[in-house]
Structure formats: C-alpha cells, structure tokens
Amino acid sequence: DTEVTQTPKHLVMGMTNKKSLKCEQHMGHRAMYWYKQKAKKPPELMFVYSYEKLSINESVPSRFSPECPNSSLLNLHLHALQPEDSALYLCASSRTGVRGPNNSPLHFGNGTRLTVT
Amino acid sequence: QQPVQSPQAVILREGEDAVINCSSSKALYSVHWYRQKHGEAPVFLMILLKGGEQKGHEKISASFNEKKQQSSLYLTASQLSYSGTYFCGTELREYGNKLVFGAGTILRVKS
C-alpha cells in the first residue's frame, strides 16, 4: 500500500470541463510534487511545493493550476484541457525536498489516469 | 537536462546479472534510482550523493562517479520480481529540489 493517496484513480473529462485531482500524505513530508507520465515515458516534473509554497513550475500551461492548502494536501485543478493532456498524473512527497537534509527519496502515489475527450 | 540511460531494454534469465547506466552532461548533486512495475507507482531503490559512493540493497547496488557524472545500477542473481522499468533521477548541482528522470530501462527477467 502506498502512503501517498491520490483520488480519483481514473478521470474522463471533456475539453470544456473543470475538474481537480487530489493528493494526500500523512507522513509529515514538507515537499510535494506533481509529475505527468505518458505511456512508456518517464515521469515528467510539473510542479514542486516546498513548505506549502510553490518553488518550481516547469513552464506548465495555465490550464493546470496547482494548490497546496496545507502540508498534507496537494491539488491540481484542471480547466480547458486538450486531448494531448491525457496521461497518468503522479503525486509524490518527500521529507524535506530532494536537497533537504539526508536528501529525501520521493514517495509516489498510484496516480490518476486522466483521459481528455 | 534529462539524463541518458542505457541500455533501453534488457532480458535476463533468473540468476543472471545486469548493469544499467545513467549519465549526465551537467554536474550532478545526487542520483536516485527507482523501479516501476506496470500499472504501479515508481518505488524508491536508493540515493547516491557523494562522488564514488556505492550503496547496496540486497542484491541491488549502485555506484556514483561524481567526476564523470555517471551512475550505474547493478542487479546480481536476478529474480523474477526484478522485472520492471528502472529510472534514474538526477539532481543537478545548479538546481535544487528538482529531480529529472531518464527515459528508463525495461528489465524483463524470465524463468
């Protein structure tokens, strides 16, 4: 069982819809991440939150909007997506960030498989 | 910035050994190794921080040559459970808190 919980597991949405992906961890981790993974490709970094502040945005289109309401929760708000945005969206957390003390490993959730029609 | 992994795929029989390589054109601060099985989340294997560092995890170990900006993952006496896609993730010295993954190496262990 993963300690990072993502909901929903699957999501189908139209290009005009607004939806949100949710991620939750209760390990006391202070860094949280969104990655996007296409089939047979590596996870691709989208956003990094460190101590609930956005620290990295990898030039992600504004139709993806991240939010970190508190240290345990991470949301990804989706609006006006394109079919090419269909992918597995992975949330991850780490104790203090990749370059924190003792360099923390990433703990991944099982992902949300998103299909945009 | 994406590290280069090789080989792209490898097929082994149980008990055989394999080496997966990861290299970067830029100076590295750390290298992470993860394994992802089909339909599952990537799972952490190990982190290497210092030049020349080697780490072991049962029959899986890794080395990090900081000067060459290279890391290698060694799988010895492979088991069926080792099958999956192995990703190295690299953190550049110039960018903190940003882990970028290589394209992955598909490992299949046959009985």
Side-chain angles (χ1 to χ4, degrees), chain A residues 38-53:
Chain A
K38 291 271 202 178
K40 300 184 180 181
K41 296 291 186 181
E44 180 183 338
L45 184 64
M46 299 175 72
F47 302 104
V48 180
Y49 273 85
S50 180
Y51 291 85
E52 298 153 52
K53 292 185 179 179

Side-chain angles (χ1 to χ4, degrees), chain B residues 22-79:
Chain B
C22 177
S23 65
S24 172
S25 59
K26 298 196 172 186
L28 297 177
Y29 184 83
S30 70
V31 178
H32 294 218
W33 286 96
Y34 293 79
R35 176 173 62 209
Q36 185 176 29
K37 291 182 181 282
H38 183 69
E40 298 180 9
V43 173
F44 170 74
L45 294 175
M46 62 190 77
I47 294 176
L48 299 109
L49 295 173
K50 301 174 184 175
E53 183 177 37
Q54 292 195 6
K55 282 196 171 183
H57 180 71
E58 296 181 345
K59 294 179 182 176
I60 301 175
S61 61
S63 63
F64 177 29
N65 186 322
E66 191 177 10
K67 289 183 180 179
K68 292 186 177 180
Q69 293 141 204
Q70 294 175 348
S71 178
S72 294
L73 185 71
Y74 307 94
L75 300 106
T76 57
S78 58
Q79 306 167 14

Side-chain angles (χ1 to χ4, degrees), chain A residues 31 33 35 37 40-43 45 48 50 55-56 58 88 90 97-99 102-106 108-110, chain B residues 1-2 29-30 32 34 36 40-42 44 47 49 87 91-104:
Chain A
Y33 312 76
Y35 279 85
Q37 187 175 29
K40 300 184 180 181
K41 296 291 186 181
L45 184 64
V48 180
S50 180
S55 61
I56 296 176
E58 287 291 278
L88 180 67
L90 292 164
V98 173
R99 195 176 287 193
N102 301 315
N103 281 74
S104 312
L106 299 186
F108 284 91
N110 285 328
Chain B
Q1 295 181 9
Q2 183 181 41
Y29 184 83
S30 70
H32 294 218
Y34 293 79
Q36 185 176 29
E40 298 180 9
F44 170 74
I47 294 176
L49 295 173
F87 294 104
E91 184 195 359
L92 300 181
R93 285 193 170 277
E94 56 186 326
Y95 296 120
N97 219 21
K98 180 175 171 178
L99 197 66
V100 178
F101 289 97

